[in-house]
Amino acid sequence: MVNHSLLRPELRPPVQMALLDDILGIVRANSLWPMTFGIACCSIEMMAAGASRFDLDRFGAGVFRPSPRQSDVMIVAGTISKKMAPTVLTLYEQMPAPKWVIAMGNCAISGGPFVYDKQYAIVNGTDVILPVDVYVPGCPPRPEALIQGFLELQDKLTKGGKTNFIRHFKRWPRKEQP
Ligand code: SF4
């Protein structure tokens, strides 16, 4: 189900039908179309996730689209410089709704190693300019981490994973720390 409370008010449909939302959520979760778009070194790991060894297509998200108008997932893979930020925003706005954003890597999450006192060139995280749905930490995150990010996004689109409907592998309970 698409959780409409997570969408911005202008993106929420005027009439909501729960069953249709459930079906659309499952369909969308199984056919995510990421944009072919990388800004820095994390994008190399993103490319590896889509290539044969890790095969992101196993999870229905392997068709990277060459245009934002055909994409519904933006993977921000790299450092957003202030010079690049307007371009990233334009690409996001050219994507049709509903759309989702994955912040991949420490640079996309918080500016990463390029944030220090009096730095003037780097945006301190994607969520300064865009609504982020999933954060994938690491410098760089491995392809498996990005795949986990997609599973989290699929969970989010299908009732927050409560139904366990979409998850392809068993979710093991976390052990309590002593
Ligand atoms: S998080 Fe690390 S690997 Fe990724 S773009 Fe930043 S510096 Fe490069």
Side-chain angles (χ1 to χ4, degrees), residues 39-43 45 77-79 104-108 111-114 138-141:
I39 316 177
C41 16
C42 274
S43 54
E45 300 295 321
T79 324
M104 179 184 183
N106 293 356
C107 285
F114 302 106
C139 180

Side-chain angles (χ1 to χ4, degrees), residues 67-72 91-100:
S67 163
R69 299 182 200 286
Q70 301 167 352
S71 309
D72 56 11
L91 287 171
Y92 177 78
E93 287 174 347
Q94 287 177 336
M95 293 164 63
K99 52 192 168 184
W100 303 278

Side-chain angles (χ1 to χ4, degrees), residues 70-91:
Q70 301 167 352
S71 309
D72 56 11
V73 180
M74 172 184 268
I75 306 169
V76 182
T79 324
I80 303 179
S81 64
K82 289 187 179 165
K83 199 171 180 181
M84 188 70 179
T87 306
V88 175
L89 193 55
T90 300
L91 287 171

